[in-house]
Amino acid sequence: MGAWELLLVGVVMLLGLCGVLVPGVPGSWLVWAGVLWWALQEPNGLAWSVLVGATVVLLLSQAVRWQLPPRRLRESGATHRMAAFAGGGALLGFCLVPVVGALPGFLGGLYLSERARLGGRGEAVTAVRTALRAGGWNVFAELFACLLIVGAWVGAVVAGGG
């Protein structure tokens, strides 16, 4: 697979990551489709292992999400800016402290967004708790699964599977 094709697969996965934060967009399935596209173009054991792993991670995340309360973020006052801060924080945390940094990054992004919007620490903490109860954990579960998949894909490409 050439560099341009890898770049296109990466763009599809990036759109999927962004799509996780937008209600109604099948972000996790876009990430999975990117892995599928790559695995079909690179028919080797590593590529197929990443595809199988991505499928298992997505199915597990769906099972976890079914156990969580449904998304009602709009009623809680969640904004697009909050989603962007939370997603950016999760991505930054995932990269700085691999895997486990996604949770503090997600929570930190939510907090920074609400602190900038509301001004006070107490109000921001209350707003973050409200957002998490209204479906924030649901969004985090899906985003974390997608980050794991993209991380595995990047690792496989760097290791020579692409």
Side-chain angles (χ1 to χ4, degrees), residues 82-106:
M82 179 191 289
F85 271 64
L91 179 62
L92 186 64
F94 189 86
C95 293
L96 291 177
V97 182
V99 182
V100 297
L103 179 60
F106 184 81

Side-chain angles (χ1 to χ4, degrees), residues 12-40:
V12 168
M13 290 184 174
L14 184 61
L15 288 173
L17 283 173
C18 293
V20 168
L21 303 172
V22 178
V25 177
S28 56
W29 298 110
L30 280 173
V31 171
W32 183 82
V35 173
L36 176 66
W37 178 16
W38 171 71
L40 290 174

Side-chain angles (χ1 to χ4, degrees), residues 50-104:
V50 171
L51 179 61
V52 168
T55 304
V56 169
V57 166
L58 273 183
L59 291 175
L60 285 173
S61 79
Q62 291 297 319
V64 167
R65 290 179 56 219
W66 286 330
Q67 300 301 316
L68 295 170
R71 288 186 187 183
R72 288 188 299 265
L73 291 172
R74 287 286 167 230
E75 293 96 28
S76 73
T79 62
H80 294 295
R81 183 175 130 178
M82 179 191 289
F85 271 64
L91 179 62
L92 186 64
F94 189 86
C95 293
L96 291 177
V97 182
V99 182
V100 297
L103 179 60

